[in-house]
Structure formats: C-alpha cells, structure tokens
Amino acid sequence: MKFTVNGKAVEVSATPDTPLLWVLRDHLDLTGTKFGCGLAQCGACTVHLDGRAIRSCVTPVVEVQGRTVRTIEGLAPEQGLHPVQTAWIEAGAPQCGYCQSGQIMSAVALLAAVPDPTDADIDAALSPNLCRCATYPRIRDAVHRAAARMRDAR
Amino acid sequence: MRSSPQSLSRRGFLAGLGVLLVAVHLPPAEAAAVGSPSPLSAFVGIAADGTTTILSPSSEMGQGVCTALAQLLAEELDADWSLVRVVTTEGPEFRRSLGPGYTMQVTGGSTSVPVWSEPLRAAGASARDRLVRAAAARWGAPAASLTTDAGVVHHPDGRSATYGELALEASKLRASRNPPRKPRTVDRLVGTSVPRNDLVAKVTGAATFGVDIRIPGMLRACSVACPVFGGRVGAVEDAAARAIPGVRDVLVFEDFVAVVADTWWPAKRAVEALKITWEEGANAGLDSAGVSAALRAGLDAERPFVGRSEGRSPALWPAEEVLSADYEVPYLDHAPMEPLNCTVHIQPDRCDVWVGTQVQTMVLQAAAKATGLREEQVFVHTPYLGGGFGRRGNNDWVEQALAIAVRLQKPVQLLWTREEGIRHGFYRPAFAGRLRARVAAGEVRGLHVRVAGDNILHRYRPRLLQGLPLAKALPMEGLLESSPYGFDDVRMEGVLVDLPVPIGFWRSVSHSYTAFFVESFLDEVAAKIGVDSVALRRGLIRDSHARFRAVLELAVEKGAWGKPEAGRFQGVALHESFGSICAQVVELSMVGGLPKVHRITAAVDCGPVVNPDLVRAQIMGGALFGLSEALGARLDFKAGRVVQGNFHDYPLLRMKDAPNVEVHIVENPTAPVGGIGEIGTPPIAPAVCNAIFAATGRRVRSLPILPALAGGKA
C-alpha cells in the first residue's frame, strides 16, 4: 500500500482493512496520533486526508492509497511551530495532553475552511473531539488566537 | 530519541520524562552528552551543563504537578528555571531516601502540593546550601558572604560560578542539618503562572504516553476478561483468532484471555474472533434495578454508622417540622482518554515496566512478585498519563501485562480497548441519600443526612482497616467536620451496602455525591421557607468556618448572583474538599426542556497558591468534568454485565456543551496548603440542578440530569 505521509512517500504491508491509525502508529512509528475509542466517537485519532479532518481509527488503509495524509508530526515547519500550536501554548490549553493532537488537527482543518470562526463554528468543528480534562474553554480561546495569528501573517 | 524535533527548545525537548527516556533509550555516548546529574538530594541533581533534573514523586496526569512541584524546589534552590526538567521516579532507593514513614508512592487525593511543598522546598534549600559551600571552599570565602541568583553563585568581589560548574563538588559535601531558607517574600517562581513545562511536547505529538513506548522486539497484546465481575474463563475456541495474519499466540489465564501479535490491530481483531465460554459465577444476576433497590433498602437500615451527631436526635423532631427527600447517583467510570496500557520487559536480572500509573510502588511490588525478582531489580518508568482521575490508582491491567510477559518471556505492550476499560473499571460507587431538615419559624434548625452505598476501602487490604471509624467515614466525606454549616441538631449517618461491583477512587470520591445531596437539599429547604439560596447559606455558615464566607461572597459577586441575563436562571453551591473550598454560580437557560449552561463562575480558596494558572485550569477542568457526569453519564448493569461500552453510550461533555468557566482565587497565603485537582468537581452538579429548579420548579434528585428530566424521574 503506497501513500504520502507528511510529504514523504511511504509503502506499508498491512492488510487492507487495517485502520490508518494503526498503520501510522505501529507500522510508521508516528505515535502523535492517538487511539481513544476505535469508533470515531472521540477524535483523538484525527488526521488530515487530502486536507480534510478524518478519524483515522475507522479509515481502512486501503482507502488512503495514492492519497495524502498529514499528521500532527507534519504540522510544524522544519524550524518552529505551526501558528495553531503556538496559539495552543499561549492559551495554556493542554492538561493531560492525550487528545490535543486530534484537537489541533481539527482546528487546523477548520481554520483552512473558515479563517475567522465564531464560537459556534468552533463548537461545531471541534465537538467530535473529546477532552476528558475538559480543556474546551481554553481550546476555544486557542482557536481564536490562532485565527488572529494567521490573519496577521497574511 | 524518537519524535523529538530538533527545532524545539532544549527545555521542550527534555521536558517531563525526557531525561528518563534518554537514560533508557539513548546509547551511552549520547546519554553522556546530555550529562549525568550529580545528586544533591533525593529530589534533585545538576549536571555539568547546568541541567537541573528534579525527581517528582507525583505522576503528571494533566494536573500540572510536574510544573508545580518543580517550582517549589527550584524556588529554594534558586535555580535557572530554563534548565529545569522533571522526571517522575520510583524505586526502593528513592522511597527509602524519603524517610521511614514513606512506604507507598501515590498520586491522588489532591495531595501532591500539600504533601510535597515542604519536603521539596527543604530539598531545594539543602541543595542550594551545598552549592554555596562548594563555592566557598573553592574560593576560600565564608559561605555567608556568597549569594545566589538563578543558577549562579556570586562572590562579593565579582567572581561567579554556575551551579553546573559546582555540582560535582557540592555532591561530595555532607548536607547541612538546617540549611538557610529564602524568605518567602522574595519568591520569584512560587505564586507565579510560569507556563507548564509540558506544553511544547503536548502540542507537537512528541509527548510520550504509555501507549507510545516502543521497545525493540516488543509484541502487542489485547485482552478480554469475563464480562461478569468475578467470572472466569471456561472453554476457549481460538482457531479463527490464530488464523489472523500477525497473531503469535493466544494465552488463557484464569480470568482473562490475551492475544499476542506483531502489531495491535490483529491482536484486537483476534480477541473479537475468540469464542469464549465464561463461567459467569455468582454475579450473573446483577442488574441496575437490583442495585437501586439495595441502596434504597440501605436508607431504611436499622443500625447506621453515626459520623457526626449534635443536639437532639432527629427521631424526636416534631413531624410537622420535617422536610425530607431521597437522592441517588449512579456508578461512573473514569474513562481517561488514553486507554489502559502497560509495557513490560523482563530480562534475567531486571524487569522494566512502563505504565501511566498513580501508584508506582504497587506496580513495583506486583512486578517483583510476578517475576520473582527483587524490588531493587524492578524499574518502573512513568511516562505522561493520558488522564488518571483515580483509575490509574489501581493495578489490575498492570498485573495482566505482567502475567502475559512472564508467560511470553518477550517484551510486550498490553493495550485495552475502550470497551474493556469501561466494562472493567473501578467505578465511582452508586449511592443513595436521604436528607431531612427540621424547619421551625422560618429557620433551618436541624439537618439529618443518611448515605447508603458501598465502601471503596473494602476493596483494599488489610481488611482490619475496614472497621476503623476513619474507613467507615470515607463514604461520608463532606458531611462531617469540613461541612461549613451549623444547626441545633445534626446527624450524619452512613450505611454500608455491599455490592459485587468493583469500585474505586474517582475524582473527588465521596464529595462527588455528598455535595450534590446536601447542596441540592439546602436549596429545597430555601425554596420551601422562601429564602434566597445564598442568604440561607450565609445564615448557616458556622463562625469556625469563616473562610467559606469569603469564597461564597466572591463567587456571588463575580457571578452576578440575582442578576442573570434575561431568560437565564442561576444556581449556587459551596463545598470543601481536600483542604480547599470552592463555590460556583451557574447561569443556564432551558432549551427544549433541557438545560443549556451558559456560564460558570467559580471562587476557590486553596490556601497558598503555587501557580495561579494551574489553579484556574484545574477548577475549570474539575467543574466541567463534574458537569459531564451531571448531565449524561451513567453505568447500567444487565445480566451481570455493564451495558455501556464506548463514548456513544457513555456520553461525555463535548465542546458545544462546555461553557466558559471564570475562576477567581481568594488569596489566603497563611492558611494550610490545600489540594486543587478535585476541588472543582463537587459543587457543579448541585449548582446546575439548583438553577434548573429556578428555571422550571422541577427538582432533579437523581443523576444524570438529562435522562432524569426526559423520563420525569425527578
């Protein structure tokens, strides 16, 4: 199975039904993407497939053949951080941190589609992502901060 | 080191468990380049390059403890904060060095900062004293003439030396008996919101959790236990499971079956392909109705344990003066986001265990027992915990992983499915409460509370402890001396209802229901006698509990009590837990018959504050964690099995239902140090239910709220 992850071409030998999540974690050693539920109920496994946020725990690897995947490890440029990551730090959003990769990937996808989101936009886009520490208010704040940063950078 | 972008700051790179992983994973040459620290106390070592490694006795599970504890030590050490990194550690040697009374390493009960503030400050002072004396010896100067500033010792003549340059010499000096302390007034780290030391790792995916541990040659395991508590494995038909590519073995144990594979997905699929006949045992008849009936029978029991009794017996209250209501809460799971997992590597002369645990000592002892090695040969590594909330204070899945590793004799990582986690938890026990008040002449003169449910301490040994008043009082936390309210007549009772469901310490433990019972019922009383909810509480707070007044007043002021936005309704609650006091004012509206919480305003007094931002984060998270359970979560039982299994039927709070939480801190630097991790949770359920009553006139007496409102059960 061949596809692109974080700008690199990869080839893996996994059964076609293996969820992308486990190919990333166990075959490609990209452990920033997390397992939380296995049923697309928690969003911890969120990655981008051709730029759109998907739940990799229910996406068979066969479906990503020839396509482009981006994970949390592929977000930051060579030096420094992605503006969403910087905003997350400014907002002091993470607690246990386990869900945050998925939250950030959902936020990046949202901001690509809606550069200046309202609270309602954020709630709609990020409600698939559970946070048991309930850092939601700070995540909401972080998304607004990220939007401002990205606006300033344009 | 895996997934450690070089673009990150050195501090970010090594934050948290970095040093530990370096020590474990890097070849010796690279590890040496990082620098091996010279030990200056049980808690701190400094390498030649100045890298200051603080050993945390507490696990980082999101509460920010690895930042807060480091602030305390670094304060007295006068360390360069940019060079500080923190590792959670355990080992018999570390434990011994902490003193004879220290037998068990536990992160729980919101105790980390209260328990460790003084030992860590003392360790910092002792280390600083040794560094200063090392400089004094080097320069032939009196130690008293030297000063320190952020990791540097200064001589009055302008000479200076960094802690890194002095560390080796300092480590050879004997510790002073009473090293000088900095005056608290000059604290520069403690009391400030220094950013958590794990932020960069946690926004880049570089943070290593237990599930991310990779050991060369490691196999993966998935397990399933009998769905009925206490049941055993009967027959196992495993041909289909073994046929799945990648599956190495099927291991049958007394009460669970594990599949081992090269990667986890085939192991999980193979578990699903097993045909297991369970010996379900005595608990196969357990169901929710039975649990509820047993709890309610407990409310009528003859001989309760009396935890607090003042004034007249409630039996003598005139019937016309008595108000009464029964309450109930369900079993709840912790459901940390990171499913339970444990990695074990057994070698002839050592055993390494990597696990997100709140009880390192229990892990260590279990590993020694399972392998036959001495405790000194067991190494427990604590990566970041993907949430704990009390669940990781148990050792059940660790014992499974150890058993699998002993059988395999290969490194192995056990990872549970979400379903296995929810169906084999150590749950917040279900409880019923009967509350009675004596009201005369428009005033509350008496309060009688009886709670009935199972006792968590009955799951722990030695059983001898269970008879002690302290153990019997555990289910009554929040009803006894910490309760702020005074009445002519008070009686607080507990009834043990022995049920076959595993229970454990869940964020805020018994406070999670005693606050709901009492703070809701007081609101009922206030409504009955026509008094404002806040005014009633003001009148009942005992003079000996004056701190509660300041907390209540701050929440009332900042939450604009009595002045909600149009169409919104307010509720209030006040509760002390783990040495800290929290009041919350909630503002909500009813949308389609269901509550929509718009705003939570919290005030907290936790005594001295190490890091205000961490306090605000914990009160915010604690309140919303409580809101999650108050609204929708419950566990049901049918035919001996937990009905729920994943987040579609065990619904947790999501972003769209999470209001902003404003947190205000009551400054109280001279009070005893209180906890913070659990304090935000107890008041939220009653505050929300009180606001629902204000909005609708309906009193919710059983949680969770949403089914109670929908089903008219309230």
Side-chain angles (χ1 to χ4, degrees), chain B residues 251-271:
Chain B
L251 306 176
V252 179
F253 297 87
E254 193 173 300
D255 57 354
F256 72 100
V257 182
V259 176
V260 181
D262 296 326
T263 56
W264 190 74
W265 178 249
K268 190 233 181 200
R269 280 191 55 220
V271 163

Side-chain angles (χ1 to χ4, degrees), chain B residues 157 222 334 463:
Chain B
D157 71 6
C222 183
H334 307 77
R463 290 199 172 270

Side-chain angles (χ1 to χ4, degrees), chain B residues 368-698:
Chain B
K369 190 175 166 200
T371 59
L373 293 165
R374 294 193 311 277
E375 287 191 11
E376 289 75 5
Q377 296 172 299
V378 178
F379 298 84
V380 178
H381 310 280
T382 309
Y384 288 121
L385 280 61
F389 317 115
R391 178 62 181 89
R392 296 176 202 273
N394 300 281
N395 219 27
D396 50 319
W397 80 99
V398 176
E399 286 167 7
Q400 279 195 0
L402 286 163
I404 294 165
V406 166
R407 188 90 63 97
L408 275 181
Q409 289 299 315
K410 287 198 178 77
V412 63
Q413 180 172 88
L414 171 67
L415 169 61
W416 278 14
T417 60
R418 174 61 58 192
E419 288 77 7
E420 194 69 0
I422 286 186
R423 290 174 180 155
H424 291 284
F426 285 79
Y427 309 112
R428 196 285 302 275
F431 256 82
R434 175 162 295 157
L435 292 96
R436 301 171 73 236
R438 180 166 78 87
V439 178
E443 285 188 15
V444 200
R445 299 285 175 77
L447 182 67
H448 175 202
V449 180
R450 173 179 284 197
V451 293
D454 210 344
N455 190 323
I456 299 165
L457 290 178
H458 280 216
R459 310 287 156 174
Y460 292 83
R461 286 174 207 289
R463 290 199 172 270
L464 192 66
L465 289 175
Q466 294 163 10
L468 301 179
L470 192 72
K472 291 188 172 183
L474 178 82
M476 305 171 70
E477 280 179 325
L479 297 175
L480 306 178
E481 273 319 299
S482 68
S483 169
Y485 306 122
F487 306 90
D488 296 344
D489 307 335
V490 179
R491 193 172 171 91
M492 302 297 186
E493 302 169 339
V495 175
L496 174 70
V497 180
D498 202 1
L499 290 160
V501 180
I503 54 176
F505 296 93
W506 182 95
R507 195 176 196 173
S508 82
V509 197
S510 314
H511 296 283
S512 65
Y513 55 85
T514 59
F516 171 60
F517 294 168
V518 171
E519 290 295 300
S520 298
F521 184 64
L522 282 181
D523 229 63
E524 292 201 48
V525 173
K528 186 77 179 181
I529 60 181
V531 176
D532 171 76
S533 299
V534 170
L536 181 93
R537 285 170 173 79
R538 279 180 185 136
L540 290 175
I541 294 174
R542 297 186 266 181
D543 290 341
S544 55
H545 288 58
R547 285 171 71 190
F548 286 77
R549 289 183 193 279
V551 178
L552 178 63
E553 296 304 334
L554 186 61
V556 159
E557 179 207 329
K558 299 292 185 182
W561 177 256
K563 298 182 282 278
E565 279 192 31
R568 295 187 183 179
F569 300 87
Q570 292 175 318
V572 66
L574 171 67
H575 193 80
E576 190 259 44
S577 57
F578 309 98
S580 299
I581 304 159
C582 187
Q584 293 172 7
V585 171
V586 158
E587 200 165 305
L588 57 73
S589 59
M590 300 301 286
V591 181
L594 298 175
K596 168 82 182 163
V597 180
H598 300 285
R599 181 181 175 196
I600 299 170
T601 308
V604 61
D605 175 353
C606 60
V609 174
V610 176
N611 185 319
D613 189 63
L614 290 179
V615 168
R616 285 191 286 270
Q618 283 310 293
I619 295 298
M620 172 192 80
L624 294 178
F625 184 95
L627 181 61
S628 199
E629 314 304 329
L631 288 176
R634 65 171 296 141
L635 292 171
D636 297 300
F637 303 98
K638 197 174 174 185
R641 291 154 164 81
V642 174
V643 173
Q644 288 78 8
N646 209 316
F647 296 125
H648 62 286
D649 54 11
Y650 191 74
L652 301 179
L653 190 76
R654 291 180 183 274
M655 174 82 88
K656 63 183 170 55
D657 298 316
N660 286 332
V661 183
E662 247 182 66
V663 181
H664 301 276
I665 298 172
V666 176
E667 305 272 348
N668 207 342
T670 55
V673 182
I676 207 64
E678 304 175 76
I679 286 65
T681 300
I684 189 67
V688 168
C689 291
N690 293 342
I692 290 171
F693 179 81
T696 66
R698 289 185 70 179

